[in-house]
C-alpha cells in the first residue's frame, strides 16, 4: 500500500496514520461510556454502552480482514476513517438539536458508540496490514517497526482516556470534534498512489485465515500461548478494582494509579524489547518475557501490600507489552502477504476470546476466592507459555529468518461443500 524509493521513507507517514487512528479510537472508546454515565446517571446504561461498543468490534473481525485482502489496506483504511468522520459529524449535529439528557440523547450516543467501535476495528486491521507491509521492506529489522507501532498503541491507551475525560468537561461537541478531526487526519494522510491501484483481489474469508493459520505451526503455537496469557491478564484487569478497594482498602483513584504505572512500564518494556531482539533474536526475548509475566501474575495473587501489588501488575503488563511485540513481529514474518488480512483477523479473534471468559470468571467467583483464581490462571499461563515457546523452539529457524525466506502459501480453491 505504501510505495517509496527507500524502505524506511514511508515509515513516518505510517506512524502518523496509526497514531491519529489509535488516538481517535481510544478517546471515543473510553469517553462514550463516561458520557452515558454523565447524561443518565445510570450504571446499567453505562455497562450497556460498553457492551454496544465491543460487540461490533468483535464482529468486525469477521469481515475486516476479507475487506483488506480484497480491496487493499490503504483503501480500506481511508474509507473507514472517512465514514467515521461522517458518523461523528452526524452524531454531533443530532446532539446539538437534542437536550443534554434524555432517552433520545442516550440512544444517539449508544448508536454512535456501536458504529465507532466497528469502524475502529476495521481501520485497525487495515493499518496493522500497512505496518506489516512497511516492516517487510526492512527485512530482519521488522521488529523495530512493530515495537514502534506497539508503543504508539500503548501511548494512545495512556492518553486517550485522559483526553476524553478532559474534553467532556468542555462538552460532547468538543469531544466529537476532536475525534472527527483525528479520523479525518488519518484518512487524509493515507497515500493515494502506490500498490493500492495495483492490488489484485484474492479470495478471502475467516476460513481462508483459519486454513493459513493451521499451515503455520510457529504462529499456531504463539497464538495458543498468548490466548492463555490473555486469560490471566484479563482476570487480573477485571479483578483489579475489587482487589485494590476491598482487599487493600484503597480508593477508586488508586486503581487508576495502578494502571498508569502499568502503562508506563509497558512503554518502557516495548522499547527495551526492540533493543533486546537486536542483540538476542526473537525466541530468547519472548521466552524471558513469558517467564517474567507468569511469575509476576503469580505475585499479584500473593502480594502482601498495595505497593507490591502495583509493582507486580506493572511487571505483568510490561511482559504483555513485550509479548505483543513478539506476536506482531512473527506475524509479519510468517503470514503470507496475499492472506494477511484474513489471517490477522483470525489471530486477533483467538487472542481476544479469553477476555469475555475472564469477565465471566470474575462474576462467578466469590471475592474471597479471587487470589486463588489468579494463582490458577498464573499456573495455566505458565504451562501454556512453556508449551508455546517449547513449540516455537522446534520452529525456531522459521521465527528467526526473514520474511523473504518464508514459504508463500498458495490458496486452495474452496469446495462447494465448504461454502457457507
Amino acid at each position: 500500500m505504501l510505495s517509496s524509493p527507500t524502505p524506511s521513507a514511508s515509515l513516518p507517514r505510517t506512524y502518523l496514520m496509526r497514531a491519529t487512528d489509535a488516538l481517535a479510537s481510544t478517546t471515543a472508546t473510553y469517553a462514550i461510556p463516561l458520557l452515558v454515565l454523565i447524561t443518565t446517571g445510570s450504571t446499567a446504561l453505562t455497562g450497556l454502552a460498553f457492551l454496544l461498543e465491543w460487540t461490533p468490534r468483535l464482529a468486525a473481525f469477521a469481515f475486516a480482514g476479507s475487506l483488506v485482502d480484497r480491496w487493499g489496506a490503504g483503501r480500506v483504511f481511508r474509507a473507514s476513517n472517512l465514514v467515521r468522520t461522517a458518523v461523528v459529524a452526524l452524531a454531533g449535529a443530532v446532539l446539538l438539536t437534542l437536550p443534554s439528557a434524555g432517552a433520545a440523547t442516550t440512544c444517539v450516543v449508544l448508536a454512535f458508540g456501536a458504529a465507532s467501535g466497528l469502524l475502529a476495528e476495521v481501520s485497525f486491521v487495515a493499518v496493522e496490514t500497512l505496518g506489516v507491509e512497511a516492516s517487510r521492506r526492512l527485512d530482519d529489522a521488522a521488529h523495530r517497526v512493530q515495537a514502534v507501532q506497539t508503543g504508539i498503541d500503548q501511548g494512545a491507551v495512556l492518553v486517550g482516556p485522559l483526553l476524553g475525560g478532559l474534553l467532556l468537561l468542555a462538552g460532547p461537541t468538543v469531544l466529537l470534534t476532536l475525534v472527527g478531526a483525528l479520523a479525518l487526519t488519518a484518512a487524509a494522510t493515507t497515500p493515494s498512489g502506490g500498490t493500492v491501484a495495483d492490488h489484485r483481489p484474492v479470495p478471502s474469508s475467516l476460513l481462508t485465515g483459519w486454513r493459513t493459520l493451521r499451515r503455520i505451526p510457529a504462529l499456531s503455537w504463539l497464538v495458543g500461548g498468548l490466548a492463555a496469557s490473555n486469560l490471566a491478564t484479563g482476570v487480573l484487569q477485571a479483578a483489579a478494582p475489587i482487589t485494590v478497594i476491598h482487599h487493600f482498602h484503597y480508593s477508586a483513584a488508586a486503581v487508576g494509579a495502578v494502571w498508569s504505572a502499568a502503562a508506563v512500564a509497558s512503554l518502557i518494556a516495548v522499547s527495551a524489547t526492540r533493543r533486546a531482539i537486536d542483540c538476542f533474536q526473537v525466541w530468547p526475548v519472548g521466552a524471558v518475557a513469558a517467564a517474567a509475566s507468569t511469575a509476576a501474575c503469580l505475585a499479584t495473587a500473593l502480594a502482601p501490600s498495595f505497593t507490591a501489588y502495583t509493582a507486580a501488575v506493572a511487571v505483568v503488563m510490561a511482559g504483555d507489552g513485550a509479548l505483543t511485540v513478539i506476536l506482531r513481529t512473527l506475524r509479519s514474518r510468517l503470514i503470507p502477504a496475499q492472506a494477511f488480512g484474513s489471517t490477522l483477523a483470525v489471530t486477533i479473534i483467538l487472542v481476544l476470546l479469553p477476555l469475555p471468559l475472564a469477565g465471566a470468571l470474575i462474576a462467578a467467583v466469590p471475592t474471597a476466592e479471587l487470589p486463588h483464581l489468579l494463582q490458577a490462571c498464573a499456573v495455566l499461563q505458565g504451562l501454556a507459555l512453556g508449551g508455546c515457546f517449547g513449540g516455537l523452539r522446534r520452529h525456531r529457524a522459521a521465527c528467526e529468518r526473514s520474511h523473504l525466506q518464508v514459504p508463500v502459501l498458495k490458496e486452495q480453491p474452496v469446495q462447494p461443500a465448504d461454502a457457507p
Side-chain angles (χ1 to χ4, degrees):
M1 309 308 154
L2 300 172
S3 61
S4 174
T6 60
S8 60
S10 60
L11 288 178
R13 172 177 282 186
T14 304
Y15 295 153
L16 177 59
M17 292 163 58
R18 192 179 191 102
T20 52
D21 178 74
L23 191 56
S25 297
T26 56
T27 301
T29 296
Y30 288 95
I32 288 171
L34 183 58
L35 177 58
V36 171
L37 181 62
I38 291 172
T39 56
T40 67
S42 170
T43 56
L45 287 175
T46 303
L48 179 61
F50 188 82
L51 176 65
L52 288 177
E53 273 190 288
W54 278 99
T55 301
R57 283 174 181 266
L58 294 176
F61 292 117
F63 61 86
S66 298
L67 288 177
V68 168
D69 287 341
R70 291 176 184 271
W71 301 105
R75 185 179 297 174
V76 171
F77 181 81
R78 186 189 304 110
S80 62
N81 274 290
L82 287 175
V83 172
R84 177 155 54 177
T85 303
V87 169
V88 169
L90 178 61
V94 172
L95 288 176
L96 282 175
T97 66
L98 295 174
S100 59
T105 300
T106 301
C107 288
V108 170
V109 173
L110 292 177
F112 169 69
S116 177
L118 186 146
L119 293 168
E121 298 310 330
V122 173
S123 65
F124 172 78
V125 172
V127 78
E128 181 76 1
T129 304
L130 287 170
V132 167
E133 290 178 351
S135 68
R136 281 192 178 112
R137 296 185 175 93
L138 294 181
D139 202 8
D140 290 332
H143 62 279
R144 299 178 184 175
V145 178
Q146 298 304 325
V148 173
Q149 294 192 136
T150 303
I152 290 172
D153 292 346
Q154 296 284 354
V157 170
L158 183 62
V159 174
L162 176 62
L163 188 60
L166 291 175
L167 291 174
L168 276 179
L169 295 177
T173 302
V174 178
L175 170 68
L176 293 176
T177 299
L178 177 74
V179 173
L182 288 169
L184 186 60
T185 301
T189 309
T190 310
S192 56
T195 59
V196 175
D198 302 326
H199 179 80
R200 291 181 294 176
V202 297
S204 179
S205 65
L206 285 182
L207 181 58
T208 302
W210 174 248
R211 287 174 172 171
T212 305
L213 176 64
R214 289 178 60 188
R215 295 170 187 167
I216 308 174
L219 188 63
S220 299
W221 278 111
L222 186 65
V223 169
L226 290 185
S229 179
N230 258 9
L231 176 63
T233 303
V235 168
L236 175 62
Q237 290 177 332
I242 302 171
T243 302
V244 171
I245 295 172
H246 293 286
H247 181 68
F248 292 115
H249 306 292
Y250 276 73
S251 67
V255 180
V258 169
W259 293 117
S260 294
V264 172
S266 183
L267 284 170
I268 294 173
V270 166
S271 177
T273 299
R274 177 181 64 81
R275 293 175 173 82
I277 293 176
D278 283 338
C279 298
F280 305 108
Q281 297 296 324
V282 171
W283 190 90
V285 176
V288 170
S293 181
T294 300
C297 186
L298 184 61
T300 61
L302 305 174
S305 66
F306 175 73
T307 302
Y309 175 80
T310 301
V313 171
V315 175
V316 169
M317 299 313 295
D320 184 71
L323 289 173
T324 300
V325 175
I326 300 298
L327 170 64
R328 289 179 170 177
T329 299
L330 293 185
R331 276 198 312 221
S332 70
R333 292 180 177 180
L334 297 172
I335 300 177
Q338 77 274 18
F340 186 85
S342 55
T343 310
L344 171 65
V346 170
T347 63
I348 292 175
I349 290 172
L350 292 176
V351 169
L352 290 183
L353 275 178
L355 295 180
L357 176 58
L361 288 173
I362 293 298
V365 173
T367 301
E369 298 299 320
L370 286 182
H372 297 104
L373 175 62
L374 279 170
Q375 291 176 35
C377 288
V379 171
L380 176 63
Q381 178 187 26
L383 293 174
L385 288 177
C388 164
F389 282 93
L392 287 177
R393 189 176 184 86
R394 294 195 292 273
H395 302 280
R396 191 168 176 174
C399 295
E400 304 295 358
R401 65 193 178 192
S402 73
H403 71 279
L404 295 175
Q405 298 169 288
V406 178
V408 175
L409 303 179
K410 295 183 178 180
E411 281 298 319
Q412 301 297 324
V414 178
Q415 301 300 321
D418 296 329

